[in-house]
Amino acid sequence: MSSYFNVVWTIRSTQTPVTNRPCGRCGVVRPFTSTGKFRLNANGNRLDAWLIYKCMQCEKRWNRTVFERRPVSSITKEQLVALQENDAGIAEEVVRQSSHSALPTGSDGGPQLLIETTLPSRQPVDGEEIKLTVQNPSGCRARLDQVLAKGLGLSRKDILDLFKSGVISVVGGGHKALKRPVPEIIELRVQGTSLLFHVDIRTRLLGAAMPTG
């Protein structure tokens, strides 16, 4: 069985997704961002819930519907407490599921990303193939080539050249995956050492973070 040195990247957006909508106070379309707080209204045995947003310019509030007229009996005690206590995880999930949400972009037109790197506690063996697992737990809307370019400090053209030369490859896929959004999890292989562009790709990848247990 082949042995791999497993490197894990977890990508996150540095900013909360925004929803562009008309602002009644500004009089134009503005980006609204979640406050992370919920508003609840009980009417008999029915419950309404909204996630509160605010205009990023004037801070006018807007309530985005989470559910309406839902029977209280269909909501668990844990779910109700989470809404009452403004659980951050539920608020993030509501924002992520919005079809109107988008991420603010950086100067290169891509999302502003944070990449958390986890390395095994041991050192890699000479010539050992590297498996790079990219995790996207929050559903960040980023293309694979954007993530690799940021993580390795290269251009997207450089990343495409590395794929074409076989230095980096997607497990079960081709280089077309580069232009697609990163799924919840994707695995790549880094084979051997490449000195393309006068850069040692393995050194860049392994030097991205200190080993952790």
Side-chain angles (χ1 to χ4, degrees):
M1 181 179 293
S2 299
S3 173
Y4 298 105
F5 187 79
N6 299 315
V7 179
V8 178
W9 283 1
T10 302
I11 62 172
R12 305 184 190 280
S13 169
T14 59
Q15 297 190 27
T16 302
V18 298
T19 295
N20 295 313
R21 58 172 286 107
C23 175
R25 184 178 297 164
C26 295
V28 296
V29 173
R30 294 287 194 193
F32 280 69
T33 185
S34 167
T35 64
K37 298 183 182 300
F38 291 94
R39 176 188 170 191
L40 302 177
N41 179 60
N43 186 354
N45 63 351
R46 302 279 178 170
L47 185 68
D48 301 321
W50 300 270
L51 179 61
I52 302 173
Y53 283 66
K54 66 179 179 180
C55 173
M56 296 180 67
Q57 181 68 27
C58 70
E59 297 193 350
K60 178 179 175 60
R61 300 301 175 98
W62 165 63
N63 295 333
R64 178 181 169 228
T65 301
V66 178
F67 55 77
E68 292 181 313
R69 309 293 293 170
R70 183 168 173 177
V72 175
S73 59
S74 69
I75 304 172
T76 67
K77 180 179 179 181
E78 290 75 16
Q79 290 172 328
L80 183 58
V81 170
L83 291 170
Q84 292 172 331
E85 297 183 352
N86 300 312
D87 180 86
I90 292 181
E92 181 179 347
E93 181 67 17
V94 170
V95 171
R96 187 166 64 87
Q97 290 180 351
S98 171
S99 60
H100 303 291
S101 294
L103 289 172
T105 59
S107 58
D108 64 350
Q112 297 181 3
L113 300 172
L114 174 66
I115 299 178
E116 302 171 358
T117 305
T118 304
L119 301 178
S121 57
R122 68 177 179 84
Q123 293 296 316
V125 178
D126 288 343
E128 184 177 20
E129 188 174 345
I130 296 173
K131 179 174 75 173
L132 172 62
T133 301
V134 181
Q135 300 177 341
N136 186 15
S138 61
C140 180
R141 299 177 186 177
R143 290 181 6 170
L144 181 59
D145 58 354
Q146 294 171 334
V147 173
L148 292 172
K150 179 177 179 64
L152 295 174
L154 299 172
S155 70
R156 278 183 274 178
K157 180 181 181 303
D158 293 340
I159 296 299
L160 178 58
D161 289 342
L162 286 170
F163 266 73
K164 288 182 176 179
S165 66
V167 175
I168 302 177
S169 61
V170 175
V171 176
H175 65 263
K176 290 184 178 180
L178 288 173
K179 296 184 179 181
R180 296 171 182 163
V182 178
E184 185 175 356
I185 187 169
I186 188 170
E187 292 186 349
L188 303 98
R189 298 282 188 265
V190 180
Q191 303 182 43
T193 298
S194 172
L195 294 178
L196 291 175
F197 330 114
H198 306 289
V199 172
D200 186 333
I201 302 302
R202 285 172 59 93
T203 298
R204 287 212 171 194
L205 186 59
L206 300 180
M210 294 298 294
T212 62

